[in-house]
Amino acid sequence: MTLRPISEDDIQALVDERLDTARRSEVEAYLAANPDARTRVDRLRTLGRDLRTAFAPIATEPVPAQLNLAHIVEARRRPRLQVSAWQAAAAAILLALGGLGGWGLHGTLAPAGVDALAQEASANFAVYAPDRTRPVELAASDSAELARWFSARLDRKVGVPDLRSADCRLMGGRLVATPHGPAGLLMYDDHRGTRFVVLMRPMAEPGDAPMREHRFGSATGYAWAQDGLGYSLVGAADPAVLHPLANTIRRTTATNT
Amino acid sequence: MSDMMRLVEPLIPALRRYARALLRNPVDADDLVQDCLERAVSRWHQRRPNGDARPWLYAILHNLAISQLRQRARRGPHLPVEDAPEGSLAIAPSQDQGLRHRDLMAALDKLPEEQRGVLLLVTVEGLS
């Protein structure tokens, strides 16, 4: 029978008691013939025993409360529930905003004030302005009915601006949803058939907000607030056309409502 | 979950022993075991379903310990064993054993962290 040569690994494995019975007796036989190796193994065994003895008492100490596994499981469960509730809320908000149209949040906080209003108006412009079948729900002939509907749902008196002096014809309107509640959407077109929308809804803050220009791709918008009611005009037109139109609406609504 | 309690809880005293042998400071060691248990709880579902919990837990603890020891080494030399408060040593050595015990601990301290960890895992914890 040829013996496999005894390696350093075998000696270490003998000390660590990792050898099977057959190999173990081979290594023991080798040690019997090699006193130096025998001495080394003895020293290693003593060292191991000393280490085990030195650290053994730690494992018999009572486990501190800090390491109570049930507490750790429980502590982990609590904050996680809160986090997932927040995540669910954030997801719901995103869903509500995302449902409005094709604009992106760019991973930032949702806009507020007239910026939010402008985004809502542009989203509605993108959906309803290209609509050839039913761009409005109530036609201009029902403008009195539109004003009543908006006033009832927005819970304040809302007028329908007359922009004929600016060469804009009222097509009609509809009630739309925004993350800030219902809004009135009016649609106008000019003599070339270019469409504009005006979105109106109550603002969180009372009072006035100065007019701001917004760009959404090819569309441009102007948004402002007057006496707590927000307005946003959006159209795919030159600012040179839209800006005076926005001023006209602001002037008209200031006297009308 | 009860499966986890049944498999992990009995191992906590041995995990404390390994952490203390490696870090020496009892407070640091228990904090490390706590980190290890928190990780084990959060990753319990990620471990191989029929895998042995014991080597898995030691591996988590070992990795945490080694990275902490390396951080310590970067921040400056850690407490030499001669200056360690008496209670932080594994046992209060009796007079005739004291010298030998100190030599052993000093020798252990001279090893690189990784080797010290492996030596303790194999020799004291009986992992193969």
Side-chain angles (χ1 to χ4, degrees), chain A residues 155-222:
Chain A
D155 206 21
R156 60 174 290 162
K157 189 172 182 297
V158 178
V160 175
D162 184 346
L163 301 177
R164 277 176 296 188
S165 63
D167 188 30
C168 274
R169 179 184 67 99
L170 178 69
M171 294 170 65
R174 68 192 335 138
L175 195 77
V176 296
T178 78
H180 302 90
L185 184 76
L186 297 170
M187 199 179 295
Y188 299 83
D189 63 359
D190 65 11
H191 66 278
R192 282 173 304 198
T194 307
R195 291 174 173 180
F196 309 95
V197 301
V198 176
L199 186 87
M200 302 179 290
R201 67 158 169 84
M203 303 298 283
E205 301 287 325
D208 298 353
M211 186 178 290
R212 287 177 59 168
E213 186 181 298
H214 297 84
R215 299 287 176 103
F216 309 96
S218 60
T220 304
Y222 291 89

Coordinates of all heavy atoms in Angstrom, one line a residue, chain A residues 155-222:
Chain A
D155 N -66.8 76.1 -5.7 CA -67.2 76.6 -4.5 C -66.9 78.1 -4.4 O -66.6 78.7 -3.3 CB -66.6 75.9 -3.3 CG -67.5 76.0 -2.1 OD1 -68.7 76.2 -2.2 OD2 -67.0 75.8 -0.9
R156 N -67.0 78.8 -5.5 CA -66.8 80.3 -5.5 C -67.3 80.8 -6.9 O -67.4 80.0 -7.9 CB -65.4 80.7 -5.3 CG -64.4 80.2 -6.3 CD -63.0 80.8 -6.0 NE -63.1 82.2 -6.4 CZ -62.1 83.1 -6.0 NH1 -61.2 82.7 -5.2 NH2 -62.2 84.4 -6.3
K157 N -67.6 82.1 -7.0 CA -68.1 82.6 -8.3 C -67.0 82.6 -9.3 O -65.9 83.2 -9.1 CB -68.7 84.0 -8.0 CG -69.4 84.6 -9.2 CD -70.1 85.9 -8.9 CE -70.9 86.4 -10.0 NZ -70.0 86.7 -11.2
V158 N -67.3 82.0 -10.4 CA -66.3 81.9 -11.5 C -66.9 82.3 -12.8 O -68.0 81.8 -13.2 CB -65.8 80.4 -11.7 CG1 -64.8 80.3 -12.8 CG2 -65.1 79.9 -10.4
G159 N -66.3 83.3 -13.4 CA -66.9 83.8 -14.7 C -66.2 83.2 -15.9 O -65.2 82.6 -15.7
V160 N -66.8 83.3 -17.0 CA -66.2 82.8 -18.3 C -65.7 84.0 -19.1 O -66.5 84.7 -19.6 CB -67.2 81.9 -19.1 CG1 -66.6 81.5 -20.4 CG2 -67.7 80.7 -18.3
P161 N -64.4 84.1 -19.2 CA -63.9 85.3 -19.8 C -64.3 85.4 -21.3 O -64.2 84.4 -22.0 CB -62.4 85.2 -19.7 CG -62.1 84.2 -18.6 CD -63.3 83.3 -18.6
D162 N -64.7 86.6 -21.7 CA -65.0 86.8 -23.1 C -63.8 87.4 -23.8 O -63.4 88.5 -23.4 CB -66.2 87.8 -23.2 CG -66.7 88.0 -24.6 OD1 -66.0 87.6 -25.5 OD2 -67.8 88.6 -24.7
L163 N -63.3 86.7 -24.7 CA -62.0 87.2 -25.4 C -62.2 87.5 -26.8 O -61.3 87.5 -27.6 CB -60.9 86.1 -25.3 CG -60.6 85.6 -23.8 CD1 -59.6 84.5 -23.8 CD2 -60.1 86.8 -23.0
R164 N -63.4 87.9 -27.2 CA -63.7 88.2 -28.6 C -62.9 89.5 -29.0 O -62.5 89.6 -30.2 CB -65.2 88.4 -28.8 CG -65.9 87.1 -29.1 CD -67.4 87.3 -29.2 NE -68.0 87.8 -27.9 CZ -69.3 87.9 -27.7 NH1 -70.2 87.5 -28.7 NH2 -69.8 88.3 -26.6
S165 N -62.7 90.4 -28.1 CA -61.9 91.6 -28.4 C -60.5 91.2 -28.8 O -59.9 92.0 -29.5 CB -61.9 92.5 -27.2 OG -61.2 91.9 -26.1
A166 N -60.0 90.1 -28.3 CA -58.7 89.6 -28.7 C -58.7 88.6 -29.8 O -57.8 87.8 -30.0 CB -58.0 89.1 -27.5
D167 N -59.8 88.6 -30.5 CA -60.0 87.7 -31.7 C -59.9 86.2 -31.3 O -59.4 85.3 -31.9 CB -58.9 87.9 -32.7 CG -59.1 87.2 -34.0 OD1 -60.3 86.9 -34.3 OD2 -58.1 86.8 -34.7
C168 N -60.5 85.9 -30.0 CA -60.5 84.5 -29.6 C -62.0 84.1 -29.3 O -62.7 84.8 -28.6 CB -59.7 84.3 -28.3 SG -58.0 84.0 -28.7
R169 N -62.4 83.0 -29.8 CA -63.7 82.5 -29.7 C -63.8 81.4 -28.7 O -63.0 80.5 -28.6 CB -64.2 82.0 -31.1 CG -65.6 81.4 -31.2 CD -65.8 80.8 -32.6 NE -65.0 79.6 -32.8 CZ -65.5 78.4 -32.6 NH1 -66.7 78.2 -32.3 NH2 -64.7 77.4 -32.9
L170 N -64.8 81.5 -27.8 CA -65.0 80.5 -26.8 C -65.5 79.2 -27.5 O -66.5 79.3 -28.2 CB -65.9 80.9 -25.7 CG -66.2 79.9 -24.6 CD1 -65.0 79.6 -23.7 CD2 -67.4 80.4 -23.7
M171 N -64.9 78.1 -27.3 CA -65.4 76.8 -27.9 C -66.3 76.2 -26.8 O -67.3 75.5 -27.2 CB -64.3 75.9 -28.2 CG -63.4 76.4 -29.3 SD -61.9 75.4 -29.5 CE -62.6 73.8 -30.0
G172 N -65.9 76.3 -25.5 CA -66.7 75.6 -24.5 C -65.8 75.2 -23.4 O -64.7 75.8 -23.2
G173 N -66.2 74.2 -22.6 CA -65.4 73.8 -21.4 C -65.8 72.6 -20.8 O -66.8 71.9 -21.2
R174 N -65.1 72.2 -19.7 CA -65.5 71.0 -19.0 C -64.8 71.1 -17.6 O -63.9 71.9 -17.4 CB -64.9 69.7 -19.7 CG -63.4 69.7 -19.7 CD -62.8 68.6 -20.6 NE -63.7 67.5 -20.9 CZ -63.8 66.9 -22.1 NH1 -63.2 67.5 -23.1 NH2 -64.6 65.9 -22.2
L175 N -65.3 70.3 -16.7 CA -64.7 70.2 -15.4 C -63.6 69.1 -15.4 O -63.9 68.1 -16.0 CB -65.8 69.8 -14.3 CG -65.4 70.0 -12.9 CD1 -65.5 71.5 -12.5 CD2 -66.2 69.2 -11.9
V176 N -62.4 69.4 -14.9 CA -61.4 68.4 -14.9 C -60.8 68.2 -13.5 O -61.1 69.0 -12.6 CB -60.2 68.8 -15.8 CG1 -60.7 68.9 -17.3 CG2 -59.6 70.2 -15.4
A177 N -60.1 67.1 -13.3 CA -59.5 66.8 -12.0 C -58.1 67.3 -12.0 O -57.4 67.2 -13.0 CB -59.6 65.3 -11.8
T178 N -57.7 67.8 -10.8 CA -56.3 68.1 -10.6 C -55.9 67.5 -9.2 O -56.8 67.2 -8.4 CB -56.0 69.6 -10.5 OG1 -56.4 70.1 -9.3 CG2 -56.7 70.3 -11.7
P179 N -54.6 67.4 -8.9 CA -54.2 66.9 -7.6 C -54.7 67.9 -6.5 O -54.7 67.5 -5.3 CB -52.7 66.9 -7.6 CG -52.4 66.8 -9.0 CD -53.4 67.6 -9.8
H180 N -55.2 69.1 -6.9 CA -55.6 70.1 -5.9 C -57.2 70.2 -6.0 O -57.7 71.3 -5.6 CB -54.9 71.4 -6.2 CG -53.4 71.3 -6.1 ND1 -52.6 71.0 -7.2 CD2 -52.6 71.4 -5.0 CE1 -51.4 71.0 -6.8 NE2 -51.3 71.2 -5.5
G181 N -57.8 69.2 -6.5 CA -59.3 69.3 -6.6 C -59.8 69.6 -8.0 O -59.0 69.7 -8.9
P182 N -61.1 69.9 -8.1 CA -61.7 70.2 -9.4 C -61.2 71.5 -10.0 O -60.9 72.4 -9.2 CB -63.2 70.2 -9.1 CG -63.3 70.5 -7.7 CD -62.1 69.9 -7.0
A183 N -61.2 71.6 -11.3 CA -60.8 72.8 -12.0 C -61.7 73.0 -13.2 O -62.2 72.0 -13.7 CB -59.3 72.8 -12.4
G184 N -61.9 74.2 -13.5 CA -62.7 74.5 -14.7 C -61.7 74.7 -15.9 O -60.7 75.4 -15.8
L185 N -62.0 74.0 -17.0 CA -61.2 74.1 -18.2 C -62.0 74.7 -19.3 O -63.0 74.2 -19.7 CB -60.6 72.8 -18.6 CG -59.7 72.8 -19.8 CD1 -58.3 73.3 -19.3 CD2 -59.5 71.4 -20.4
L186 N -61.5 75.9 -19.8 CA -62.2 76.5 -21.0 C -61.3 76.4 -22.2 O -60.1 76.4 -22.1 CB -62.4 78.0 -20.7 CG -63.4 78.3 -19.5 CD1 -63.3 79.8 -19.2 CD2 -64.8 77.9 -19.8
M187 N -61.9 76.3 -23.4 CA -61.1 76.2 -24.6 C -61.6 77.3 -25.5 O -62.8 77.5 -25.7 CB -61.2 74.8 -25.2 CG -60.1 74.6 -26.2 SD -60.1 72.9 -27.0 CE -59.9 71.9 -25.6
Y188 N -60.6 77.9 -26.1 CA -60.8 79.0 -27.1 C -60.0 78.6 -28.4 O -59.1 77.9 -28.3 CB -60.3 80.3 -26.6 CG -60.9 80.8 -25.3 CD1 -60.5 80.4 -24.1 CD2 -62.0 81.8 -25.4 CE1 -61.1 80.8 -22.9 CE2 -62.6 82.3 -24.2 CZ -62.1 81.8 -23.0 OH -62.7 82.2 -21.8
D189 N -60.5 79.2 -29.5 CA -59.6 79.2 -30.7 C -59.6 80.5 -31.4 O -60.5 81.3 -31.2 CB -60.0 78.0 -31.6 CG -61.4 78.1 -32.2 OD1 -62.1 79.1 -31.9 OD2 -61.7 77.2 -33.0
D190 N -58.6 80.7 -32.2 CA -58.6 82.0 -33.0 C -59.1 81.7 -34.4 O -59.5 80.6 -34.7 CB -57.2 82.6 -32.9 CG -56.1 81.8 -33.6 OD1 -56.5 80.8 -34.3 OD2 -54.9 82.0 -33.4
H191 N -58.9 82.8 -35.2 CA -59.5 82.6 -36.6 C -58.8 81.6 -37.4 O -59.3 81.1 -38.4 CB -59.5 84.0 -37.3 CG -58.1 84.5 -37.6 ND1 -57.4 85.2 -36.6 CD2 -57.4 84.5 -38.7 CE1 -56.2 85.5 -37.1 NE2 -56.2 85.1 -38.4
R192 N -57.5 81.2 -37.0 CA -56.8 80.2 -37.8 C -57.1 78.8 -37.2 O -56.5 77.8 -37.7 CB -55.3 80.5 -37.7 CG -54.9 81.6 -38.7 CD -53.4 81.9 -38.5 NE -53.2 82.3 -37.1 CZ -52.1 83.0 -36.6 NH1 -51.2 83.3 -37.5 NH2 -52.0 83.3 -35.4
G193 N -57.9 78.7 -36.2 CA -58.2 77.4 -35.5 C -57.2 77.0 -34.5 O -57.2 75.9 -34.0
T194 N -56.2 77.9 -34.1 CA -55.3 77.6 -33.0 C -56.0 77.6 -31.7 O -56.8 78.5 -31.4 CB -54.2 78.6 -33.0 OG1 -53.6 78.7 -34.3 CG2 -53.1 78.2 -32.0
R195 N -55.8 76.5 -31.0 CA -56.6 76.4 -29.7 C -55.7 76.8 -28.5 O -54.5 76.6 -28.4 CB -57.0 74.9 -29.5 CG -58.1 74.5 -30.5 CD -58.4 73.0 -30.4 NE -59.6 72.7 -31.3 CZ -60.1 71.5 -31.4 NH1 -59.6 70.5 -30.7 NH2 -61.1 71.3 -32.2
F196 N -56.4 77.3 -27.5 CA -55.9 77.7 -26.2 C -56.8 77.1 -25.1 O -58.0 77.0 -25.4 CB -55.8 79.2 -26.0 CG -55.2 80.0 -27.2 CD1 -56.1 80.5 -28.2 CD2 -53.9 80.2 -27.3 CE1 -55.5 81.2 -29.3 CE2 -53.3 80.9 -28.3 CZ -54.1 81.4 -29.3
V197 N -56.2 76.8 -24.0 CA -57.0 76.5 -22.8 C -56.8 77.5 -21.7 O -55.7 78.0 -21.6 CB -56.8 75.0 -22.4 CG1 -57.1 74.0 -23.5 CG2 -55.4 74.8 -21.8
V198 N -57.8 77.6 -20.9 CA -57.7 78.4 -19.7 C -58.1 77.5 -18.5 O -59.3 77.0 -18.6 CB -58.5 79.7 -19.7 CG1 -58.4 80.4 -18.3 CG2 -58.0 80.6 -20.8
L199 N -57.3 77.2 -17.6 CA -57.6 76.4 -16.4 C -57.8 77.3 -15.2 O -57.0 78.2 -15.0 CB -56.5 75.4 -16.1 CG -56.8 74.4 -15.0 CD1 -57.6 73.2 -15.6 CD2 -55.6 73.9 -14.3
M200 N -58.9 77.1 -14.5 CA -59.1 77.9 -13.3 C -59.5 77.0 -12.1 O -60.3 76.1 -12.2 CB -60.4 78.8 -13.6 CG -60.2 79.7 -14.8 SD -61.6 80.7 -15.1 CE -62.8 79.5 -15.6
R201 N -58.8 77.3 -11.0 CA -59.2 76.6 -9.8 C -58.8 77.4 -8.6 O -57.8 78.2 -8.7 CB -58.5 75.2 -9.7 CG -57.0 75.2 -9.6 CD -56.5 73.9 -9.0 NE -55.1 73.8 -9.2 CZ -54.2 74.3 -8.3 NH1 -54.6 75.0 -7.2 NH2 -52.9 74.1 -8.4
P202 N -59.4 77.2 -7.4 CA -59.0 77.9 -6.2 C -57.6 77.5 -5.8 O -57.2 76.3 -5.9 CB -60.0 77.4 -5.1 CG -61.1 76.8 -5.9 CD -60.5 76.3 -7.2
M203 N -56.8 78.5 -5.3 CA -55.4 78.2 -4.9 C -55.4 78.0 -3.4 O -56.3 78.4 -2.6 CB -54.5 79.4 -5.2 CG -54.5 79.9 -6.6 SD -53.8 78.6 -7.7 CE -52.1 78.7 -7.4
A204 N -54.4 77.3 -2.9 CA -54.3 77.0 -1.5 C -54.1 78.3 -0.7 O -54.6 78.5 0.4 CB -53.1 76.1 -1.2
E205 N -53.3 79.3 -1.3 CA -53.1 80.6 -0.7 C -54.1 81.6 -1.2 O -54.3 81.7 -2.4 CB -51.7 81.0 -1.1 CG -50.5 80.1 -0.7 CD -50.3 80.1 0.8 OE1 -50.5 81.2 1.4 OE2 -50.0 79.0 1.4
P206 N -54.7 82.4 -0.3 CA -55.5 83.4 -0.8 C -54.8 84.6 -1.4 O -53.5 84.6 -1.3 CB -56.2 83.9 0.5 CG -55.3 83.6 1.6 CD -54.5 82.4 1.1
G207 N -55.4 85.5 -2.0 CA -54.8 86.6 -2.6 C -54.3 86.5 -4.0 O -54.7 85.5 -4.7
D208 N -53.3 87.3 -4.4 CA -52.9 87.4 -5.8 C -51.5 86.7 -5.9 O -50.7 86.7 -4.9 CB -52.7 88.8 -6.3 CG -54.1 89.5 -6.3 OD1 -55.1 88.8 -6.1 OD2 -54.1 90.7 -6.6
A209 N -51.2 86.2 -7.1 CA -49.8 85.7 -7.4 C -49.4 86.3 -8.7 O -50.3 86.3 -9.6 CB -49.7 84.2 -7.4
P210 N -48.2 86.9 -8.9 CA -47.8 87.5 -10.1 C -47.8 86.5 -11.3 O -47.6 85.3 -11.0 CB -46.4 88.0 -9.8 CG -45.9 87.3 -8.6 CD -47.2 86.9 -7.9
M211 N -48.0 87.0 -12.5 CA -48.0 86.1 -13.7 C -46.6 85.6 -14.0 O -45.6 86.3 -13.9 CB -48.5 86.9 -14.9 CG -48.7 86.1 -16.1 SD -49.3 87.1 -17.5 CE -51.0 87.5 -17.0
R212 N -46.6 84.3 -14.3 CA -45.3 83.6 -14.6 C -45.4 82.9 -15.9 O -46.5 82.3 -16.2 CB -44.9 82.7 -13.5 CG -44.4 83.4 -12.3 CD -44.0 82.6 -11.1 NE -43.0 81.6 -11.5 CZ -42.3 80.9 -10.5 NH1 -42.7 81.0 -9.3 NH2 -41.4 80.1 -10.9
E213 N -44.4 82.9 -16.7 CA -44.4 82.2 -18.0 C -43.8 80.8 -17.7 O -42.9 80.6 -17.0 CB -43.5 83.0 -19.0 CG -43.5 82.4 -20.4 CD -42.6 83.1 -21.3 OE1 -42.9 84.3 -21.6 OE2 -41.7 82.5 -21.9
H214 N -44.4 79.8 -18.4 CA -43.9 78.4 -18.3 C -43.8 77.9 -19.7 O -44.6 78.2 -20.6 CB -44.9 77.5 -17.6 CG -45.1 78.0 -16.1 ND1 -46.0 79.0 -15.7 CD2 -44.5 77.5 -15.0 CE1 -45.9 79.1 -14.4 NE2 -45.0 78.2 -13.9
R215 N -42.8 77.0 -20.0 CA -42.7 76.4 -21.3 C -42.9 74.9 -21.1 O -42.3 74.3 -20.2 CB -41.3 76.7 -21.9 CG -41.0 78.1 -22.1 CD -41.8 78.6 -23.3 NE -41.6 80.1 -23.5 CZ -40.8 80.6 -24.4 NH1 -40.1 79.8 -25.3 NH2 -40.6 81.9 -24.6
F216 N -43.6 74.3 -22.0 CA -43.8 72.8 -21.9 C -43.6 72.3 -23.3 O -44.6 72.2 -24.1 CB -45.2 72.4 -21.4 CG -45.6 73.1 -20.1 CD1 -46.4 74.3 -20.1 CD2 -45.2 72.6 -18.9 CE1 -46.7 74.9 -19.0 CE2 -45.5 73.2 -17.7 CZ -46.3 74.4 -17.7
G217 N -42.4 72.0 -23.7 CA -42.2 71.6 -25.1 C -42.6 72.7 -26.0 O -42.0 73.8 -25.9
S218 N -43.5 72.4 -26.9 CA -43.9 73.4 -27.9 C -45.0 74.4 -27.4 O -45.3 75.4 -28.0 CB -44.4 72.8 -29.2 OG -45.5 71.9 -28.9
A219 N -45.5 74.0 -26.2 CA -46.6 74.8 -25.6 C -46.0 75.9 -24.6 O -44.9 75.6 -24.0 CB -47.6 74.0 -24.9
T220 N -46.7 77.0 -24.5 CA -46.3 78.0 -23.6 C -47.5 78.3 -22.7 O -48.6 78.2 -23.1 CB -45.9 79.3 -24.4 OG1 -44.8 78.9 -25.3 CG2 -45.3 80.4 -23.4
G221 N -47.2 78.7 -21.5 CA -48.3 79.0 -20.6 C -48.0 80.2 -19.7 O -46.8 80.6 -19.5
Y222 N -49.0 80.8 -19.3 CA -48.9 81.9 -18.3 C -49.9 81.6 -17.2 O -51.0 81.2 -17.4 CB -49.3 83.3 -19.0 CG -48.3 83.7 -20.0 CD1 -48.4 83.3 -21.3 CD2 -47.2 84.5 -19.6 CE1 -47.4 83.7 -22.2 CE2 -46.2 84.8 -20.5 CZ -46.3 84.4 -21.8 OH -45.3 84.8 -22.7

